[in-house]
Amino acid sequence: MLLVAFTAALALAQIQGRAETAPPRLVSYDEAVRCAGLTQAGSELEGGESPYGRELYDAALYWSLAAMQAATTAGRDPVAAENDQTRARLQSVRRLTAGDADARAGLQRCRQAAPRLG
């Protein structure tokens, strides 16, 4: 009986541990491209000298790779996918430079959703 209780407690602990380390949710191609554009623009505008700039650079790398993976999975043309990211980056540069609050909030959400790479 004690062995059964111990085994059940161990199984519950493993399930809870998995919930805490659950993989990130899947995102759509459009969301990945939007985040790639925002983080690339943020990184470009901030520069890589500050800790925040390095976080943005890492997030931009992550989202760019995520967008390309989503494009591949969806059967999209890689050149078109790169062009989508370029357009998203240029639009994001304009919005962030203009002080667009929605763009700033989106940038923070995308940065926080990206895993820490360094």
Side-chain angles (χ1 to χ4, degrees), residues 27-112:
V27 297
S28 69
Y29 172 76
D30 291 335
E31 184 176 353
V33 168
R34 184 182 58 77
C35 280
L38 281 167
T39 55
Q40 288 171 17
S43 175
E44 183 179 315
L45 294 170
E46 177 69 22
E49 302 302 315
S50 69
Y52 180 62
R54 287 188 291 278
E55 282 183 23
L56 288 172
Y57 178 84
D58 287 350
L61 177 61
Y62 169 79
W63 283 113
S64 179
L65 293 172
M68 292 308 290
Q69 182 64 45
T72 300
T73 301
R76 293 182 186 252
D77 176 54
V79 173
E82 287 182 26
N83 290 338
D84 288 346
Q85 284 188 55
T86 299
R87 277 190 295 280
R89 179 182 56 79
L90 293 173
Q91 180 185 30
S92 295
V93 165
R94 285 191 292 271
R95 291 179 64 203
L96 291 170
T97 300
D100 184 318
D102 288 338
R104 293 251 176 239
L107 174 60
Q108 293 311 311
R109 282 191 300 276
C110 293
R111 183 187 58 81
Q112 291 170 347

Side-chain angles (χ1 to χ4, degrees), residues 14 26 35-36 41 59 66 69 75 106 116:
Q14 287 177 340
L26 295 177
C35 280
Q69 182 64 45
R116 300 283 184 236

